[in-house]
């Protein structure tokens, strides 16, 4: 209690107001000050410090009537981001064609620079769009591939990406070679070997989902990419679930192209995403929405969306500030701690099968479990109907169960309730 009281006193000092009225309006600047209170702690030590994370939890406006454990779908934004969307929206509506195009539109370049710095790349390689599907489809449908060219991917890749590649297979005569993955996997050598086995002299692109959305499996992206590059093959990386979740820079993954959603782990406004393409490869990729210079090497050719929701786009900057205030390493450690907190207990329960590795190198926040004799939809229905716990039912390939994805605002009490619910469901 003394520790929490001291923490709150310091928080009140730099917010310049009493704590209670300001809890829901903690800004990124406030969080930067919070983050300096315990500099002696490593990210792993801080991951279990509930006093620290209590303050961050208060920055969100999540409903107390439901426990949201499907942040892998769409994460809520903290209030500072919500307020930015509302503020920019009101501003734009004072005179839309003037304030959107002549004022708010000018904020894209600073935002591009800040996102690029966070991602460890050049601002001339970053395009801002609406989600990972749009970003990745830009590459999938825009690459100049020919009949007979081959693609390597897995059946555990995200459905929209499978649909896009299969459309090209149907339309252009490409051939998809599928990697046979067994999930969960704890042997990176074997994973790399299976990808390499599907590469042939006709392979042009290897598609890698950095974190598989179904069960949270982390793939050894850099090692797979290196093997592809040895054979002159390009690499497209789906970073929808790893960006702002794991600590890395985009070049660390070894790809040539990268797409992500920002409304997942960055907690940016709903409907925001990002595309990265190596500078020297931009010119050969046709934009998803055509413009007057489709062969340009200017990354902005991929932002020809016409009228767009400028308020959403500009509020990404607030979400980025919020992320930087928490710190990448601290956030990753906390998310993994939350996953392990419930999963290590659930795996002990009778009839419960964990379909996600609990080892650090193979998973982060996402985990998937099943209950013997029950389909995933039934488990999800029980969790929501009886316990008001919102999860995602997953029946895909050999997985049948429920995906659980906490976020930084998730409390241990929430996860204790989840453990109790799984226990009751498994015993029923």
């Amino acid at each position: 209690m003394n520790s929490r009281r001291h923490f709150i006193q310091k928080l009140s000092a730099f917010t310049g107001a009493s704590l209670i009225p300001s809890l829901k309006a903690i800004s990124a600047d406030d969080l930067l000050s919070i983050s300096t209170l315990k500099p002696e702690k490593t990210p792993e030590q801080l991951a279990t410090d509930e006093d620290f994370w209590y303050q961050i939890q208060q920055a969100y406006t999540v409903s107390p009537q439901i426990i949201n454990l499907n942040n892998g779908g769409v994460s809520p934004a903290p209030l500072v981001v919500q307020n930015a969307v509302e503020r920019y929206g009101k501003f734009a509506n004072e005179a839309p064609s003037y304030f959107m195009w002549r004022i708010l539109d000018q904020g894209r370049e600073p935002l591009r620079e800040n996102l690029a710095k966070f991602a460890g790349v050049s601002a001339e390689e970053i395009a801002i769009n609406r989600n990972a599907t749009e970003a990745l489809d830009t590459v999938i449908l825009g690459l100049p591939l020919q009949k007979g060219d081959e693609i390597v991917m897995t059946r555990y890749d995200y459905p929209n990406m499978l649909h896009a590649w299969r459309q090209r297979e149907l339309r252009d005569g490409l051939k998809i070679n599928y990697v046979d993955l067994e999930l969960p996997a704890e042997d990176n050598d074997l994973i790399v070997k299976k990808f390499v086995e599907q590469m042939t002299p006709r392979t042009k692109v290897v598609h890698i989902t950095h974190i598989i959305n179904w069960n949270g499996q982390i793939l050894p992206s850099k090692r797979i990419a290196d093997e592809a590059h040895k054979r002159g093959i390009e690499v497209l990386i789906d970073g929808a679930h790893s960006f702002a979740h794991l600590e890395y820079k985009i070049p660390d993954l070894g790809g040539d192209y990268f797409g992500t959603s920002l409304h997942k782990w960055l907690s940016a406004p709903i409907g925001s995403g990002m595309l990265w393409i190596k500078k020297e490869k931009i010119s050969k990729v046709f934009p998803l929405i055509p413009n007057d210079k489709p062969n340009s090497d200017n990354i902005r050719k991929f932002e020809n969306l016409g009228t767009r929701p400028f308020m959403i786009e500009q509020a990404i900057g607030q979400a980025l500030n919020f992320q930087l205030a928490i710190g990448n390493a601290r956030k990753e450690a906390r998310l993994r701690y939350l996953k392990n907190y419930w999963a290590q207990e659930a795996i002990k329960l009778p009839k419960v099968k964990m379909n996600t590795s609990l080892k650090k190198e193979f998973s982060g926040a996402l985990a998937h479990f099943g209950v013997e004799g029950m389909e995933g939809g039934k488990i999800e229905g029980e969790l929501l109907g009886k316990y008001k716990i919102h999860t995602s039912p997953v029946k895909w390939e050999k997985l049948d169960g429920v995906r659980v994805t906490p976020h930084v605002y998730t409390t241990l009490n929430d996860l204790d309730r989840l453990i109790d619910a799984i226990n009751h469901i498994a015993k029923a």
Side-chain angles (χ1 to χ4, degrees), residues 165-362:
W165 280 120
R166 286 168 180 170
Q167 179 173 296
R168 288 217 65 177
E169 185 178 40
L170 178 66
R171 185 184 68 188
D172 301 323
L174 306 185
K175 181 178 183 293
I176 300 175
N177 295 326
Y178 293 101
V179 177
D180 183 22
L181 283 184
E182 292 289 335
L183 299 181
E186 295 183 343
D187 186 343
N188 279 336
D189 290 340
L190 180 59
I191 293 173
V192 174
K193 181 175 181 290
K194 286 189 172 186
F195 269 87
V196 170
E197 286 174 348
Q198 297 305 318
M199 300 178 194
T200 77
R202 302 205 69 168
T203 302
K204 300 301 180 183
V205 180
V206 172
H207 183 112
I208 303 171
T209 301
H210 189 201
I211 293 184
I212 293 175
N213 69 291
W214 306 114
N215 79 326
Q217 177 78 43
I218 299 175
L219 296 184
S221 174
K222 181 64 164 59
R223 291 185 56 188
I224 298 169
D226 286 348
E227 290 296 331
H229 288 149
K230 287 179 185 177
R231 295 161 174 80
I233 302 167
E234 294 188 305
V235 176
L236 171 62
I237 297 176
D238 180 345
H241 276 285
S242 65
F243 192 75
H245 174 176
L246 305 181
E247 184 184 22
Y248 67 87
K249 301 298 183 183
I250 290 177
D252 297 339
L253 305 184
D256 303 289
Y257 312 93
F258 175 95
T260 189
S261 292
L262 302 179
H263 51 238
K264 293 184 185 292
W265 301 101
L266 190 64
S267 286
I270 298 168
S272 56
M274 188 183 80
L275 167 68
W276 169 82
I277 298 180
K278 278 185 178 180
K279 179 64 177 177
E280 64 270 23
K281 296 180 181 291
I282 293 172
S283 62
K284 75 173 185 176
V285 180
F286 284 92
L288 193 63
I289 299 177
N291 60 24
D292 62 333
K293 296 180 180 178
N295 297 120
S296 167
D297 67 353
N298 190 327
I299 193 71
R300 294 158 189 81
K301 73 181 183 181
F302 302 115
E303 296 173 344
N304 187 42
L305 301 178
T307 303
R308 56 167 61 81
F310 291 89
M311 61 292 295
I312 289 176
E313 184 175 279
Q314 286 307 300
I316 294 171
Q318 298 292 336
L320 184 57
N321 286 342
F322 194 85
Q323 171 82 15
L324 293 170
I326 297 173
N328 290 8
R330 287 175 165 181
K331 183 175 180 179
E332 178 182 340
R334 175 64 175 183
L335 291 174
R336 185 172 284 110
Y337 168 72
L338 292 174
K339 185 276 306 295
N340 288 339
Y341 181 88
W342 74 266
Q344 288 173 346
E345 294 303 314
I347 202 171
K348 301 174 186 176
L349 300 175
K351 299 197 294 183
V352 172
K353 179 184 179 183
M354 191 59 55
N355 297 314
T356 300
S357 170
L358 301 189
K359 294 181 179 179
K360 179 178 179 179
E361 62 269 39
F362 300 112

Side-chain angles (χ1 to χ4, degrees), residues 67 82 85 101-102 108 132 135-136 163 204 209 238-239 247 295 324 363 372 395 397 401 412 416:
I67 297 175
Q82 297 177 47
V85 174
W101 292 108
R102 298 193 184 187
R108 187 176 302 111
L136 295 165
H163 298 335
K204 300 301 180 183
T209 301
D238 180 345
E247 184 184 22
N295 297 120
L324 293 170
S363 68
E372 183 181 335
K395 186 174 183 180
E397 293 294 314
L412 297 189
D416 287 337

